[in-house]
Amino acid sequence: MYTFKVNKREFETNESKITGKQILTIANLTPVEDFELLYKINEKGFTPIQLDEEVDLKSAGIENLRARPYKGIIIKVDDKEIEVDECIMTPIEIMSAAGLDSNRYSLNELRAGGVEVTYKDDVEHKIAITKKSYFVSCKLDLVIECVIVNAKVKPWVNERISFDEVVVLEYGSVSTNPNVIYTINYVKGVPSKPNGTMVKGEVISVKNKMIFNVTQTNKS
């Protein structure tokens, strides 16, 4: 088997030499005439691969293939038509284009033959986008009962939490001393950003039993 990548998504074929048309077809980017296939030649740019042009999969750097639509593709999300200019997108990117909060919704793809594919647990899945792409959103049944701050369970039922509110959960109040500095890191958060840090004034979405680590230091 020979492997190649299009837009960082890996595919396989039994043939060592295939045409640009075959590459797009294997990548499920059809009609192939709607897409431009490109090969990265250096850090500055790409060169096009024609549909009937043969590509040797034994060549070094074959992972640097990129495909893009010649013009915007119209897809449907919840019966709403949306124009996108990428031929491979993640569920998070599709929901963002549709104006949906990926922390409160999941995405299902409706394929030919009545097949429905859910991306509820795979929000970074790379989906091939075509003119026939049709998606439906599903509101997540979220129950928020608590968060965990410095290994201690803290009751919390709101969908969002601020920097200061996390500090209050741990220390009871936010110090007015300008020399006191708080640092907040979190894990097991919402799908769009499960891990990260918070800065003063920031408000983020919350997931049940989300874990926060808060430290207080005095720079004086």
Side-chain angles (χ1 to χ4, degrees), residues 75-79 108-111 132-136:
I75 65 173
K76 281 189 175 182
V77 179
D78 295 334
D79 292 324
N108 289 1
E109 181 180 6
L110 301 182
R111 297 180 179 176
K132 296 181 180 180
S133 293
Y134 182 24
F135 303 92
V136 293

Side-chain angles (χ1 to χ4, degrees), residues 50-198:
Q50 304 303 318
L51 292 180
D52 58 354
E53 184 178 342
E54 195 170 72
V55 177
D56 187 353
L57 298 181
K58 295 179 182 178
S59 302
I62 201 65
E63 68 275 5
N64 290 320
L65 292 176
R66 181 184 176 188
R68 64 186 183 190
Y70 281 110
K71 57 182 180 180
I73 302 174
I74 303 298
I75 65 173
K76 281 189 175 182
V77 179
D78 295 334
D79 292 324
K80 177 183 177 182
E81 291 189 346
I82 299 167
E83 183 174 341
V84 298
D85 56 8
E86 296 291 338
C87 54
I88 293 181
M89 300 176 69
T90 65
I92 285 180
E93 291 170 337
I94 294 169
M95 285 188 281
S96 177
L100 294 167
D101 184 351
S102 59
N103 299 316
R104 304 303 169 205
Y105 290 86
S106 63
L107 196 69
N108 289 1
E109 181 180 6
L110 301 182
R111 297 180 179 176
V115 176
E116 185 169 351
V117 179
T118 180
Y119 300 109
K120 181 179 179 181
D121 299 317
D122 192 4
V123 294
E124 295 296 340
H125 187 91
K126 293 179 174 61
I127 305 170
I129 302 298
T130 72
K131 291 179 178 178
K132 296 181 180 180
S133 293
Y134 182 24
F135 303 92
V136 293
S137 63
C138 301
K139 188 171 178 60
L140 296 174
D141 185 17
L142 299 176
V143 177
I144 302 173
E145 298 176 329
C146 66
V147 293
I148 299 173
V149 183
N150 290 0
K152 293 173 287 189
V153 176
K154 303 287 185 176
W156 189 264
V157 296
N158 297 328
E159 292 186 351
R160 294 172 69 78
I161 194 168
S162 70
F163 181 97
D164 284 356
E165 286 170 330
V166 177
V167 172
V168 170
L169 286 177
E170 175 60 17
Y171 296 105
S173 64
V174 179
S175 176
T176 57
N177 185 339
N179 291 320
V180 173
I181 298 174
Y182 297 101
T183 303
I184 301 177
N185 300 307
Y186 63 86
V187 297
K188 295 188 177 180
V190 295
S192 63
K193 194 175 181 182
N195 309 313
T197 60
M198 294 185 72

